[in-house]
Amino acid sequence: MAKVLRPVQVGLLSGRTARCDPQPSRTVCELLEEAQSKLGIGIQQLVTSSGMTLNQDFTLEEAGIDYAGHVFALASVNEDEALQTAQGGHLKALAALGLRS
């Protein structure tokens, strides 16, 4: 039986999300570009909920993003703005990018 692929959720720290194509052969860069288009903002990095920055050259499979995965998009170029929008567990993702110690 074929596995049903569910969208990868790409979320902003503000809570907005985009549902993106979950094909394991897609690159993280392609996922980032799709999320940028759907959210209408520039995205600098994608990170996992555990705070790991995703290498944009990796496929989703190589990056460990499963078929119903959730990743966070960091779109702010201003550190203060990023910290003001951070909530709860998302602080780990900011720390991984050096935006919070």
Side-chain angles (χ1 to χ4, degrees):
M1 180 182 241
K3 196 178 253 188
V4 176
L5 300 179
R6 294 183 297 184
V8 173
Q9 297 286 330
V10 177
L12 297 174
L13 296 174
S14 67
R16 288 181 49 216
T17 63
R19 295 166 55 112
C20 298
D21 180 12
Q23 296 301 321
S25 61
R26 293 184 78 197
T27 65
V28 170
C29 184
E30 291 170 329
L31 177 67
L32 183 146
E33 289 171 352
E34 181 182 356
Q36 283 186 136
S37 176
K38 288 183 174 186
L39 293 167
I41 61 168
I43 296 173
Q44 290 180 336
Q45 290 287 332
L46 294 177
V47 296
T48 66
S49 58
S50 64
M52 183 181 84
T53 302
L54 298 176
N55 183 324
Q56 293 187 25
D57 295 327
F58 284 7
T59 64
L60 298 186
E61 184 173 43
E62 291 169 332
I65 304 302
D66 65 17
Y67 301 116
H70 289 61
V71 296
F72 297 97
L74 295 179
S76 176
V77 295
N78 179 312
E79 179 177 345
D80 292 333
E81 179 184 332
L83 291 175
Q84 287 170 7
T85 60
Q87 302 169 350
H90 305 310
L91 292 176
K92 243 188 204 181
L94 290 174
L97 293 177
L99 294 177
R100 183 168 175 91
S101 54

